[in-house]
């Protein structure tokens, strides 16, 4: 029986698509569903084009009901991947999938993490601070933003004159290269640390 993966995304969905394509035809794992808190997320269109079922929910349904965790169980989900999902995961999902929820953050945690630190806001902060490197952090998810166990980091240089957009492009390349592979290694209980 294949390992069934649910992906949560709030926006464009480029990481979702990369992960879905990576696991297409995989003998052991499949992307079973995309969940989104944003009915206008382009990720939903990507999922439709890939033939992957979707579910859209609002804040009240996510935090005040058991609808999402019940749906995850009904779909026999084994792992949850957050790919640009901006809400804190509620306790009922954390408990049901303890140690089986993974997220990617576009910086080298613990720097530039926490509530409100996502997307271009992170890259702008890196450039404003004059950092000479940035990168990605893949980590397990707990009850706090960006504080779960780090399982992988990859780095890239931030050069003099780089804009936040330049940094974003470098980070996207790292995400596309590493996130699907690290997810697959997590499934195999391999915990790479950094590159």
């Amino acid at each position: 029986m294949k390992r069934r993966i649910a992906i949560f995304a709030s926006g464009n969905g480029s990481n979702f698509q990369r992960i879905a394509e990576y696991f297409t035809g995989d003998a052991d794992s499949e992307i079973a569903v995309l969940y989104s808190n944003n009915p206008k997320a382009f990720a939903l269109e990507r999922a439709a084009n890939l033939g992957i079922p979707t579910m859209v929910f609002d804040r009240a349904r996510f935090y005040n009901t058991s609808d999402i965790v019940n749906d995850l169980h009904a779909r026999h989900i084994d792992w949850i991947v957050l790919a640009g999902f901006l809400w804190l995961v509620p306790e009922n999902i954390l408990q049901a999938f303890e140690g089986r929820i993974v997220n990617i953050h576009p910086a080298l945690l613990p720097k530039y993490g926490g509530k409100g630190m996502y997307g271009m806001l992170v890259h702008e902060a890196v450039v404003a601070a004059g950092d000479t490197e940035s990168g990605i952090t893949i980590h397990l998810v707990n009850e706090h933003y960006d504080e779960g166990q780090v399982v992988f980091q990859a780095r890239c240089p931030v050069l003099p004159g780089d804009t936040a957009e330049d940094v974003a492009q470098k980070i996207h390349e790292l995400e596309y290269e590493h996130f699907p592979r690290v997810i697959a290694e997590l499934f195999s209980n391999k915990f790479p640390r950094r590159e």
Side-chain angles (χ1 to χ4, degrees), residues 53-74:
T54 61
M55 180 179 181
V56 177
F57 52 86
D58 60 19
R59 183 172 290 275
R61 193 172 184 195
F62 192 54
Y63 288 110
N64 302 330
T65 75
S66 298
D67 289 359
I68 307 305
V69 74
N70 290 342
D71 194 73
L72 287 160
H73 288 315

Side-chain angles (χ1 to χ4, degrees), residues 33-46:
V33 59
L34 171 74
Y35 292 88
S36 184
N37 58 328
N38 177 5
K40 296 180 180 177
F42 189 63
L44 295 166
E45 190 171 321
R46 293 179 188 269

Side-chain angles (χ1 to χ4, degrees), residues 120-135:
M120 288 303 294
L121 296 174
V122 173
H123 310 315
E124 289 165 2
V126 167
V127 170
D131 285 7
T132 58
E133 69 174 3
S134 190

Side-chain angles (χ1 to χ4, degrees), residues 17-117:
Q17 181 160 343
R18 179 73 183 91
I19 294 163
E21 290 171 349
Y22 183 91
F23 285 102
T24 297
D26 188 279
D28 300 315
S29 304
E30 65 180 332
I31 307 304
V33 59
L34 171 74
Y35 292 88
S36 184
N37 58 328
N38 177 5
K40 296 180 180 177
F42 189 63
L44 295 166
E45 190 171 321
R46 293 179 188 269
N49 291 337
L50 293 166
I52 294 172
T54 61
M55 180 179 181
V56 177
F57 52 86
D58 60 19
R59 183 172 290 275
R61 193 172 184 195
F62 192 54
Y63 288 110
N64 302 330
T65 75
S66 298
D67 289 359
I68 307 305
V69 74
N70 290 342
D71 194 73
L72 287 160
H73 288 315
R75 296 178 193 267
H76 307 288
I77 297 302
D78 299 298
W79 276 81
I80 296 172
V81 174
L82 308 183
F85 183 71
L86 303 182
W87 288 357
L88 200 62
V89 177
E91 186 65 31
N92 62 345
I93 297 176
L94 290 174
Q95 288 180 349
F97 292 88
E98 185 176 0
R100 293 181 291 134
I101 307 175
V102 62
N103 182 45
I104 191 165
H105 186 75
L108 296 170
L109 293 175
K111 295 177 83 173
Y112 308 109
K115 186 173 183 178
M117 290 303 289

